[in-house]
Amino acid sequence: MKNDEKKFKTMKNKALGSSKVDKIAVGDMVSWKSWSWDLNTDTFEDKEGLLLEITEETRLENVVLIGKILPFGASEYDFIPLFSLTKTNKRD
């Protein structure tokens, strides 16, 4: 195995999404973009929810941080990669 094959796996960035850990915490309101479609249009829409848990998963030999989220108005959890989430302070 060559050294350059693992150049992104350092202690600072041991998992994909590590850079978001300092900006997002369990209990935060978060938002993310989600693909939405109906019979007339295809578009991205903003979704929001409450971050309940952050877990590590191995996907294609890489560690990825995943957020377990309860979207507002939903009864089922969504699992979104942490790098796709943004902390929000919106109050409706």
Side-chain angles (χ1 to χ4, degrees):
M1 185 183 275
K2 296 178 184 177
N3 283 343
D4 59 346
E5 289 179 14
K6 293 217 174 214
K7 65 183 176 182
F8 293 111
K9 292 186 179 184
T10 65
M11 289 304 290
K12 184 177 179 183
N13 295 319
K14 70 176 188 168
L16 188 60
S18 295
S19 62
K20 291 281 189 166
V21 172
D22 294 335
K23 300 172 187 161
I24 298 175
V26 171
D28 285 346
M29 291 189 305
V30 294
S31 64
W32 66 98
K33 300 267 188 211
S34 179
W35 187 255
S36 174
W37 61 273
D38 60 30
L39 295 176
N40 298 320
T41 61
D42 294 347
T43 186
F44 282 100
E45 67 180 10
D46 289 326
K47 290 196 170 186
E48 294 181 332
L50 183 65
L51 179 61
L52 301 175
E53 185 179 355
I54 297 173
T55 58
E56 287 186 358
E57 291 185 13
T58 301
R59 296 188 177 183
L60 300 174
E61 299 181 17
N62 294 305
V63 177
V64 180
L65 296 177
I66 303 292
K68 179 180 178 181
I69 302 164
L70 182 59
F72 297 133
S75 59
E76 294 184 13
Y77 302 117
D78 278 350
F79 296 89
I80 308 292
L82 211 62
F83 62 82
S84 297
L85 299 176
T86 305
K87 184 175 178 176
T88 183
N89 293 320
K90 290 182 183 176
R91 305 269 185 205
D92 288 345

